[in-house]
């Protein structure tokens, strides 16, 4: 875990305990000032932003702090009857990224009946290409992220038979590099976030045993720096979101114990904003729902708890949703058994 300070940070000596009440308050109020600059400038992320915030609140057992009716109505407003896809906000174009977020939200509330799910299935199905990859939308960009979004969306609705799952897995494997990692498409640089998409897709398709868990696990372990945090690729700074992408991937691979878990917990807790609540990418930066979810998600995988907090709910490492939701849907994924030491 050697790293120079040019690609790492120095943590405060004593990070705070997990500040759940502050985080719940931060998320419940986030975006309520609709005239704020930040709110207006993040409209293109609104659906995913709601998924991040709502999932984090559910992990803290505070989902009821946001009116369910308002959330479901927003999702319905973003549904495109003509295509079957969801947009990030009303009057935007539909895309697989936001379609997954919308279906995840509806799954949390057990509200699939709020939209015509058969059209959602048709939308996802229409985007699969002959090589098994997926376009994100009608404009034709291919990315391994869209494969994960397509497969996860259909899995949540129990409709994986609508696509060619073998070709979908074959495309994922074509994105693997000599170093064991995965890029956005064949020949692209390995990246921890994209590895999560690859591993998650193969886990849902129950084809995770087609990859070398030791080789990929080693690459992921090397993302941990002296600070305890993870970066997404070599020579980059640590970021709380990679606490999720890397740890969840290692967990799916059965190698979650290959890293220094205590050091990671210290790094994540150091990224809390003790004044406003929420997590930032690194200590001292501005908190947001994205990093808050992935900080809490990683702590949930690690089973973190202390004497001053209520324990977080268990999170599913593949879907990044409360395990109780995945259990209620009767979804099973493939997790590899543990490997050797790193």
């Amino acid at each position: 875990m050697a790293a120079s300070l040019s690609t790492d940070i120095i943590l405060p000596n004593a990070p705070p305990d997990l500040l759940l009440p502050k985080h719940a308050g931060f998320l419940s109020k986030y975006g309520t000032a609709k005239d704020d600059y930040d709110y207006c400038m993040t409209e293109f992320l609104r659906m995913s932003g709601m998924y991040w915030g709502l999932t984090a609140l559910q992990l803290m057992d505070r989902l009821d702090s946001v009116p369910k009716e308002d959330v479901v109505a927003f999702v319905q407003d973003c549904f495109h009857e003509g295509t079957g896809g969801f947009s990030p906000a009303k009057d935007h174009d539909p895309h697989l990224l936001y379609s997954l977020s919308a279906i995840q939200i509806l799954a949390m509330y057990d509200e699939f009946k709020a939209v015509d799910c058969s059209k959602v299935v048709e939308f996802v199905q229409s985007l699969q290409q002959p090589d098994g990859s997926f376009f994100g939308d009608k404009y034709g960009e291919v990315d391994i992220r869209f494969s994960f979004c397509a497969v996860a969306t259909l899995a949540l609705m129990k409709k994986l038979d609508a696509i060619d799952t073998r070709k979908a897995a074959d495309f994922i494997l074509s994105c693997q590099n000599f170093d064991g990692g995965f890029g956005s498409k064949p020949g692209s640089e390995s990246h921890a976030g994209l590895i999560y998409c690859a591993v998650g897709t193969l886990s849902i398709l129950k084809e995770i045993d087609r990859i070398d868990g030791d080789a990929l696990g080693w690459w992921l372990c090397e993302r941990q720096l002296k600070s305890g945090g993870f970066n997404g690729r070599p020579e980059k700074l640590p970021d709380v979101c990679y606490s999720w992408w890397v740890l969840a991937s290692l967990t799916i691979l059965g190698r979650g114990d290959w890293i220094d878990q205590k050091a990671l917990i210290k790094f994540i807790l150091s990224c809390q904003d003790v004044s406003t609540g929420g997590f930032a990418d690194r200590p001292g930066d501005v908190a947001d729902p994205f990093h808050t979810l992935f900080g809490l998600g990683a702590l949930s995988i690690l089973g973190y708890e202390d004497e001053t907090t209520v324990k977080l709910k268990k999170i599913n490492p593949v879907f990044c949703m409360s395990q109780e939701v995945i259990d209620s849907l009767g979804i099973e994924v493939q997790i590899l058994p543990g490997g050797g030491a790193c």
Side-chain angles (χ1 to χ4, degrees):
M1 297 193 302
S4 66
L5 289 181
S6 62
T7 56
D8 202 2
I9 61 172
I10 298 176
L11 296 182
N13 289 329
D17 289 331
L18 183 57
L19 308 172
L20 286 187
K22 281 187 175 290
H23 300 324
F26 170 77
L27 292 169
S28 298
K29 293 182 290 186
Y30 196 88
T32 55
K34 297 187 177 181
D35 293 330
D36 282 358
Y37 176 81
D38 287 347
Y39 183 87
C40 297
M41 292 304 292
T42 56
E43 186 176 60
F44 71 100
L45 286 173
R46 190 73 26 83
M47 184 69 75
S48 293
M50 291 188 70
Y51 153 70
W52 300 328
L54 292 170
T55 302
L57 285 170
Q58 189 168 49
L59 291 178
M60 295 184 285
D61 201 22
R62 292 291 302 276
L63 186 61
D64 59 358
S65 64
V66 177
K68 171 183 173 179
E69 298 78 13
D70 293 348
V71 173
V72 174
F74 173 79
V75 173
Q76 289 175 317
D77 282 344
C78 296
F79 181 59
H80 289 240
E81 289 281 351
T83 65
F86 293 86
S87 58
K90 191 175 182 179
D91 299 324
H92 286 245
D93 291 335
H95 195 286
L96 271 176
L97 290 171
Y98 311 113
S99 297
L100 172 57
S101 294
I103 291 300
Q104 287 172 309
I105 292 169
L106 294 179
M108 281 185 236
Y109 287 109
D110 190 22
E111 284 288 343
F112 283 155
K113 63 182 179 293
V115 298
D116 187 343
C117 286
S118 67
K119 290 187 176 181
V120 181
V121 173
E122 290 174 4
F123 174 70
V124 177
Q125 187 180 47
S126 72
L127 294 170
Q128 188 172 31
Q129 304 307 300
D131 65 352
S133 66
F134 286 85
F135 289 166
D137 58 18
K138 64 182 180 180
Y139 297 107
E141 181 185 6
V142 170
D143 191 301
I144 203 171
R145 294 176 302 156
F146 308 152
S147 293
F148 175 76
C149 291
V151 169
T153 298
L154 293 177
L156 289 170
M157 296 186 294
K158 299 292 192 68
K159 294 294 183 181
L160 274 175
D161 58 353
I163 59 168
D164 189 326
T165 55
R166 185 67 178 189
K167 282 191 174 181
D170 288 344
F171 172 75
I172 295 295
L173 293 167
S174 75
C175 298
Q176 188 165 28
N177 293 316
F178 70 94
D179 57 12
F182 290 80
S184 61
K185 54 182 67 71
S188 296
E189 179 185 9
S190 296
H191 186 283
L194 302 171
I195 288 171
Y196 169 81
C197 293
V199 170
T201 303
L202 293 174
S203 175
I204 295 170
L205 297 177
K206 297 182 172 57
E207 301 227 33
I208 193 69
D209 52 0
R210 293 177 67 186
I211 61 177
D212 184 339
D214 284 348
L216 181 52
W218 181 265
W219 191 93
L220 290 165
C221 282
E222 289 184 321
R223 305 280 61 78
Q224 190 167 32
L225 306 173
K226 284 186 175 180
S227 63
F230 293 120
N231 60 21
R233 50 199 170 108
E235 302 302 315
K236 297 296 183 179
L237 288 171
D239 186 318
V240 156
C241 70
Y242 295 114
S243 302
W244 172 261
W245 309 124
V246 175
L247 182 61
S249 298
L250 285 169
T251 301
I252 296 167
L253 294 169
R255 288 150 175 83
D257 58 351
W258 280 21
I259 51 96
D260 187 335
Q261 296 185 358
K262 290 183 178 180
L264 178 58
I265 289 173
K266 182 178 179 181
F267 173 81
I268 295 171
L269 294 177
S270 296
C271 295
Q272 298 176 101
D273 189 315
V274 298
S275 298
T276 66
F279 289 75
D281 56 349
R282 285 177 284 277
D285 288 350
V286 178
D288 60 70
F290 176 83
H291 291 95
T292 300
L293 169 59
F294 296 125
L296 291 172
L299 290 174
S300 175
I301 289 180
L302 293 165
Y304 174 83
E305 61 180 319
D306 60 43
E307 295 178 356
T308 66
T309 67
V310 177
K311 186 176 181 180
L312 292 166
K313 288 188 176 184
K314 183 179 180 181
I315 195 167
N316 182 277
V318 176
F319 290 94
C320 194
M321 298 171 66
S322 171
Q323 184 63 48
E324 65 185 18
V325 174
I326 301 304
D327 289 342
S328 72
L329 295 171
I331 297 172
E332 295 182 359
V333 295
Q334 184 183 20
I335 305 291
L336 289 179
C342 181

